[in-house]
Amino acid sequence: MATIHVDGRDYEVDGADNLLHACLSLGLDIPYFCWHPAMGSVGACRQCAVKQYKNADDTQGMLVMSCMAPVQDDAYISIEDEEAKAFRANVIEWLMINHPHDCPVCEEGGHCHLQDMTVMTGHDSRRYRFRKRTHKNQDLGPFIAHEMNRCITCYRCVRFYQDYAGGGDLGAFGAHDNIYFGRFQEGTLESPFSGNLTEVCPTGVFTDQTHSEHYTRKWDLQFAPSVCHQCAVGCNISPGERYGDIRRIENRYHGDVNHYFLCDRGRFGYGYVNREDRPRVPEWRERQRVDAGPGAAGVVGGTISLEIDDALDRAADGLRSARRVIGIGSPRASLESNHMLRTLVGDENFSTGIDARELELLVRMSELNTRCGLPSPSLREIEACDAVLVLGEDLLQSAARMALAVRQAINARGDALAAERGIPTWNAEAVKTLAQEAHHPLFLATPEATGLDELAERTLHAAPDDIARLGFAVAHCLDAEAPAPEALDDVTWALARRIGEALLAAERPLVIAGGSLGSPAVLEAAGNVARALARRAQAGALSLVRREANSTGLALLGGQSLEWALDLLANGDADGVVVLENDLYTRAAAARVNPALQRADCVVVLDHQRTATWEKADIGLPAASFAESDGTLVSLEGRAQRFYQVFEPSYIRPETRIRESWRWLNALKASVERQPVTPLTLDEVTREVAATHSVLAPVGDAGLSAAYRVHGLRLAREPHRYSGRTAMRANLDVSEPRVPQDPDTPFAFSMEGYAGYDEPRREVAFAWAPGWNSPQAWNKFQDEVGGHLRAGDPGVRLLAPLPGDYDYVRDLPAAFAPRDEQWLAVPQPRLFGGEETSARAEPIQARMDATRFTLSARTAERLRLTPDAAMTLILGERRLTLPVTISATWPDGTVGVPSQAGLPLAAPEWARLEAGEVSA
């Protein structure tokens, strides 16, 4: 620690910081542009100048750039010195010379860092009267809009895109005062993290193009704290709503998880909330039963819209008359909704709605997270690891935000080298120059080359069983008691020994595996490696990737597989079914789903999308999406987190009858039992979940109770400048109704309430502080800039290693052996298009690559297939025809099947291949 004296006041600060970081962490305001808390200092903009004195007697002092000045004990500095203030005002005037001053039409207006800094420095008039430099903008794809004339040359964009996220198609071109930030030729930005440019850029050069189509100023958006539902990482988000539509998603800072950055699927995949074809009122269909074979579900009659009471009565009548009712849950629904479905049908009748093989893997992952001796790390803890082994996961496709954390871990070798030489880690360019190509060791074992291969010391591209055998060999190298795979070739043994050496030499080794390949052997191999490290007393970690937002939570909640439910229905052992936010046709073949739904006498479906399953329902109940509901999710690290309702859908659209799924199920249970519907709050359901399932007991601490107040005030969902509320429903009624009341959370559907930063709180709907309207306002909510929220980061962890010395798994797979006339179909995750709900968003659809099979060159030659040729994959009665991609790294004897391609595949299966023809 060090003591610094700032404008006559004394402060204790971290001696390893620079002055800018230290002062901002103290709550002092210094303007800056090029510095970013996640990327360090480069001293490019000169905006953060302060006066530094030699000692208490020095009256002259000298100007220093606070981002490049290290903290020194007993240092005297002045932010308010007149010379420093004048210098900062001159700097921003220079930076603004070529700026178009187009704030009234700029989409960054109202949450622009440039606006904040301009006001902070007192620059309020333009003296430059000459010709301005102008640039031509580029089309950068469906996510990002480009306006280069607003650039102030802070270099943040390329530092994030290239150095932090590893992108190679955005750069700085030109020299002197004519620098251009863009692509060498216009085209879609390739990085899956390109959307972060909208928040990294301090001006309006890079803006959210999905927001442009229905633009609203930030101060006119209604926000709520939420959690991304597009994968299992659990990133925190702030969705913004206007007129009953989600207009944009911003990053919500979480010190342990996503920090300042999101992946593009999480940022731009919200469009399904706004779809016009969404179910908004209950629907009833009268089915005409026909015997049309195993692939048919009967002829469905006309659809009739119902009111809530009528829909509940019809659904209750159908369920009461059924001999046995099955409930099919969903890993994209909240814990509360799944619990209420389980309560409705009974524990013995509840299915998780997950394929049996995937469910087996999820249960096994929960066991490994508690019974292998190593903890499940947060993303911040992953970034601190110094050796990484990845078995089977293409992280950029299955858990993109984790891939970004792994990239930081591997690149942190430069920080270690700098520390040895006394160079502070915040001095970004010095560390980068020193590091050159030095990295912490990364080892990847995947079927196909990945976006992280360029950072890896060694890679192995192999079939799932061979990937598992490498993992088992690594465990044996770490501990001779661990079983060794038989007949392993010398090259793989050499690789295993090198990986073992690197993991043992590391202070914080990390093992990553998951369910993407659907291989139990890969999981068990990762578990053996983790056990071996734990036995060697290594302070390591084990991270296991799940597929969907609440896969971890649903596995902890418990229940049967989807096949179990479908078999009961198809065999007539159950004749009623309630399906919760789950399109069964994405998880099982139509030939399996159709007979089950056809045989059932009553099919009730709750969903917020018009899926194939919804179309087969007798009664459809319109469920709320994440933006219209509250609930709890459990991320892949076992962190239970609360998401909050952003808006009440019936306020702008009174004709809608959308309700939270758990609220529908509570009312349905009362109707089935012929009891009056007792109002139920989120706190009550969450307490039920905690009381019923011991492993979920802490979930009550995952979020704020509805009774939480700050100085007697609710928390505001709307910024204090929110405007137009009295006119928003003028097309419906000239009288403004009372704003919706929220019994489930401490948030108010209005600007009335607490929105400041002085009182620490974990759930922050939007970041704002006086003088700080941009995303940089998060600095005001943190214990130190880039640290944790002052009230603690949201959520509570459920999974932790249990004490014990656990035995190794000894059932090791044999080497993969290709078969004649058969190929092993292997699931392939996809970032864009590989998740059910985000794939319904138009911007994501525009970003999706063509759906293709992946084959090795040898397989393609054997089948006489050329690139882009069509091929048909045959799995029993299931057939799928797609174009092919021929890969130089894909293992022979296997075929890659992309997720959400129309052929549900949860685990590797042997299939036949033949030349095909893609239908138009």
Side-chain angles (χ1 to χ4, degrees):
M1 300 296 289
T3 300
I4 61 173
H5 314 277
V6 183
D7 290 318
R9 300 188 64 178
D10 300 341
Y11 300 95
E12 287 284 327
V13 298
D14 187 342
D17 290 340
N18 57 52
L19 284 177
L20 176 61
H21 186 281
C23 290
L24 291 174
S25 295
L26 293 169
L28 306 174
D29 290 345
I30 299 178
Y32 63 90
F33 285 118
C34 64
W35 180 82
H36 188 282
M39 296 183 286
S41 306
V42 291
C45 70
R46 326 303 287 172
Q47 184 62 73
C48 62
V50 297
K51 182 70 74 68
Q52 183 167 7
Y53 302 91
K54 295 178 180 178
N55 51 49
D57 299 324
D58 183 6
T59 58
Q60 296 298 316
M62 61 181 291
L63 289 175
V64 298
M65 303 307 118
S66 58
C67 75
M68 298 299 294
V71 166
Q72 296 176 342
D73 192 29
D74 203 32
Y76 288 81
I77 68 170
S78 174
I79 300 171
E80 299 301 323
D81 176 80
E82 291 301 321
E83 183 182 3
K85 290 166 68 176
F87 183 88
R88 295 195 296 262
N90 286 335
V91 167
I92 202 163
E93 187 174 23
W94 301 333
L95 294 175
M96 293 282 285
I97 278 179
N98 288 299
H99 192 280
H101 293 78
D102 59 345
C103 298
V105 298
C106 176
E107 295 182 17
E108 201 73 3
H111 63 144
C112 173
H113 187 61
L114 177 61
Q115 287 178 332
D116 289 347
M117 299 301 96
T118 303
V119 172
M120 191 178 293
T121 55
H123 176 57
D124 58 4
S125 62
R126 178 176 58 181
R127 295 188 294 165
Y128 185 72
R129 293 291 182 268
F130 302 99
R131 192 179 193 89
K132 287 181 179 283
R133 173 211 63 210
T134 58
H135 292 293
K136 181 180 177 181
N137 302 319
Q138 292 181 326
D139 178 356
L140 298 178
F143 296 158
I144 303 297
H146 192 220
E147 178 47 78
M148 252 308 294
N149 294 315
R150 298 172 184 148
C151 182
I152 58 169
T153 323
C154 71
Y155 288 89
R156 266 194 190 182
C157 58
V158 293
R159 291 180 59 218
F160 167 77
Y161 198 90
Q162 294 181 357
D163 299 343
Y164 195 93
D169 61 319
L170 180 79
F173 304 91
H176 305 300
D177 63 347
N178 190 28
I179 306 292
Y180 189 91
F181 295 94
R183 302 182 85 247
F184 71 96
Q185 65 180 23
E186 70 177 20
T188 300
L189 289 171
E190 297 171 1
S191 172
F193 308 102
S194 64
N196 294 294
L197 294 174
T198 64
E199 295 185 22
V200 167
C201 176
T203 73
V205 176
F206 300 100
T207 54
D208 184 339
Q209 189 151 282
T210 68
H211 187 201
S212 304
E213 298 169 4
H214 43 200
Y215 183 71
T216 303
R217 294 290 188 197
K218 179 178 179 178
W219 64 73
D220 281 336
L221 291 172
Q222 181 169 249
F223 297 92
S226 193
V227 178
C228 180
H229 280 54
Q230 290 4 114
C231 81
V233 173
C235 295
N236 286 205
I237 57 174
S238 288
E241 171 268 348
R242 183 75 169 180
Y243 289 106
D245 289 335
I246 294 297
R247 299 298 176 92
R248 69 179 295 161
I249 283 179
E250 297 181 359
N251 180 75
R252 179 164 66 102
Y253 186 86
H254 192 296
D256 267 338
V257 185
N258 47 289
H259 308 337
Y260 295 93
F261 307 120
L262 301 172
C263 79
D264 287 352
R265 183 163 82 182
R267 187 182 293 273
F268 300 115
Y270 62 85
Y272 63 93
V273 177
N274 303 335
R275 287 181 65 102
E276 291 297 324
D277 63 350
R278 276 189 63 184
R280 299 186 189 276
V281 296
E283 294 179 359
W284 173 65
R285 296 176 187 83
E286 184 176 7
R287 291 187 292 170
Q288 302 172 20
R289 299 189 177 280
V290 296
D291 186 8
V299 178
V300 178
T303 299
I304 299 174
S305 298
L306 302 175
E307 279 298 325
I308 290 177
D309 288 343
D310 195 9
L312 289 172
D313 288 343
R314 288 177 185 258
D317 288 343
L319 296 178
R320 264 197 308 268
S321 62
R323 300 187 316 277
R324 184 179 183 184
V325 179
I326 298 299
I328 299 179
S330 171
R332 61 175 167 92
S334 67
L335 280 178
E336 289 81 358
S337 294
N338 279 289
H339 169 75
M340 288 305 297
L341 176 58
R342 186 167 176 151
T343 302
L344 171 66
V345 301
D347 293 353
E348 69 281 2
N349 296 319
F350 178 72
S351 163
T352 60
I354 301 174
D355 178 279
R357 294 164 298 181
E358 182 180 354
L359 183 59
E360 178 187 352
L361 294 181
L362 290 173
V363 171
R364 186 58 181 149
M365 282 189 258
S366 297
E367 293 172 351
L368 288 172
N369 282 139
T370 57
R371 297 183 177 277
C372 71
L374 295 186
S376 180
S378 67
L379 295 190
R380 179 182 284 269
E381 289 165 339
I382 287 176
E383 291 175 357
C385 292
D386 53 354
V388 181
L389 169 63
V390 180
L391 294 174
E393 289 294 319
D394 183 348
L395 291 176
L396 279 170
Q397 304 299 324
S398 62
R401 187 58 186 81
M402 182 185 289
L404 190 62
V406 168
R407 178 175 289 276
Q408 308 323 306
I410 301 310
N411 286 333
R413 174 64 177 152
D415 294 344
L417 294 174
E420 293 172 2
R421 292 159 177 79
I423 300 173
T425 56
W426 49 258
N427 193 338
E429 283 302 305
V431 173
K432 180 181 174 182
T433 301
L434 175 64
Q436 297 296 324
E437 298 302 318
H439 303 297
H440 286 310
L442 168 65
F443 303 96
L444 299 173
T446 56
E448 175 67 304
T450 76
L452 293 176
D453 280 24
E454 62 181 5
L455 293 178
E457 178 180 321
R458 297 281 298 277
T459 61
L460 172 70
H461 301 300
D465 281 351
D466 289 339
I467 291 171
R469 284 164 60 81
L470 171 66
F472 285 118
V474 171
H476 180 74
C477 292
L478 293 170
D479 182 0
E481 292 186 19
E486 296 180 358
L488 193 67
D489 62 271
D490 293 342
V491 173
T492 307
W493 267 121
L495 174 58
R497 284 190 290 270
R498 170 61 195 126
I499 295 172
E501 291 170 0
L503 295 179
L504 284 177
E507 294 181 6
R508 294 174 298 277
L510 170 65
V511 181
I512 298 176
S516 293
L517 297 181
S519 169
V522 170
L523 277 184
E524 300 297 1
N528 269 17
V529 175
R531 292 184 189 94
L533 288 172
R535 290 191 177 197
R536 299 292 294 263
Q538 292 288 108
L542 172 67
S543 186
L544 300 175
V545 177
R546 283 79 161 177
R547 189 159 67 94
E548 294 176 85
N550 207 19
S551 292
T552 309
L554 197 52
L556 295 175
L557 191 73
Q560 301 292 333
S561 69
L562 175 60
E563 288 88 342
W564 171 86
L566 296 178
D567 287 344
L568 284 178
L569 292 165
N571 295 333
D573 297 324
D575 51 354
V577 61
V578 181
V579 182
L580 169 67
E581 299 182 36
N582 199 337
D583 186 5
L584 308 184
Y585 291 89
T586 66
R587 301 180 188 275
R592 189 85 181 266
V593 178
N594 283 336
L597 297 183
Q598 169 65 8
R599 187 81 184 268
D601 292 328
C602 181
V603 179
V604 179
V605 175
L606 298 85
D607 211 332
H608 49 78
Q609 300 300 307
R610 195 171 292 278
T611 66
T613 304
W614 173 278
E615 299 298 340
K616 298 295 190 295
D618 298 314
I619 297 290
L621 303 177
S625 69
F626 78 92
E628 301 142 345
S629 63
D630 312 291
T632 306
L633 302 177
V634 183
S635 70
L636 58 81
E637 65 161 303
R639 185 185 298 268
Q641 298 183 102
R642 183 76 49 80
F643 62 94
Y644 296 86
Q645 184 177 4
V646 184
F647 65 99
E648 170 53 55
S650 62
Y651 184 71
I652 294 297
R653 299 183 177 96
E655 72 279 4
T656 66
R657 299 295 182 266
I658 294 172
R659 299 291 186 272
E660 296 100 325
S661 291
W662 53 265
R663 210 178 291 279
W664 273 121
L665 292 165
N666 175 60
L668 186 56
K669 183 175 186 294
S671 298
V672 169
E673 297 173 352
R674 291 190 170 95
Q675 298 293 324
V677 178
T678 303
L680 188 67
T681 65
L682 178 70
D683 285 345
E684 291 172 331
V685 186
T686 306
R687 283 196 294 268
E688 269 192 40
V689 173
T692 307
H693 310 279
S694 59
V695 70
L696 299 173
V699 298
D701 299 326
L704 300 175
S705 74
Y708 179 85
R709 298 291 185 273
V710 176
H711 301 307
L713 297 174
R714 282 182 172 268
L715 304 178
R717 279 182 169 93
E718 300 167 358
H720 68 280
R721 296 191 185 96
Y722 193 88
S723 63
R725 189 182 75 188
T726 56
M728 289 177 69
R729 297 177 83 259
N731 62 316
L732 304 175
D733 194 331
V734 294
S735 298
E736 180 197 1
R738 186 185 186 193
V739 297
Q741 302 302 295
D742 188 353
D744 298 312
T745 79
F747 290 90
F749 288 108
S750 72
M751 69 185 79
E752 289 81 20
Y754 186 75
Y757 69 94
D758 293 322
E759 296 296 329
R761 51 198 169 96
R762 295 190 302 171
E763 275 76 10
V764 182
F766 56 88
W768 177 87
W772 298 83
N773 299 282
S774 77
Q776 298 299 297
W778 283 111
N779 296 346
K780 296 292 185 178
F781 294 84
Q782 298 163 351
D783 54 6
E784 64 169 321
V785 175
H788 299 271
L789 297 183
R790 280 187 287 142
D793 295 315
V796 57
R797 289 195 183 188
L798 305 179
L799 299 176
L802 298 173
D805 188 14
Y806 300 106
D807 292 334
Y808 291 110
V809 169
R810 299 187 178 277
D811 184 13
L812 277 55
F816 173 72
R819 296 182 181 178
D820 294 335
E821 307 306 323
Q822 281 191 311
W823 284 262
L824 188 67
V826 178
Q828 274 187 294
R830 288 193 297 165
L831 180 63
F832 300 122
E835 189 274 328
E836 180 187 348
T837 53
S838 63
R840 293 172 173 266
E842 290 184 6
I844 297 294
Q845 292 171 351
R847 188 68 172 80
M848 288 163 53
D849 293 328
T851 304
R852 296 168 175 268
F853 294 126
T854 303
L855 296 175
S856 68
R858 182 179 298 179
T859 298
E861 181 181 357
R862 181 176 171 184
L863 295 173
R864 298 181 181 178
L865 293 172
T866 58
D868 299 326
M871 183 188 76
T872 299
L873 181 140
I874 305 167
L875 281 169
E877 299 298 321
R878 295 171 288 167
R879 301 172 67 94
L880 179 64
T881 302
L882 293 174
V884 302
T885 292
I886 300 174
S887 168
T889 58
W890 190 264
D892 191 36
T894 67
V895 54
V897 181
S899 57
Q900 299 290 318
L903 182 72
L905 185 66
E909 293 184 42
W910 287 100
R912 292 187 295 111
L913 303 179
E914 60 183 36
E917 186 172 326
V918 179
S919 59

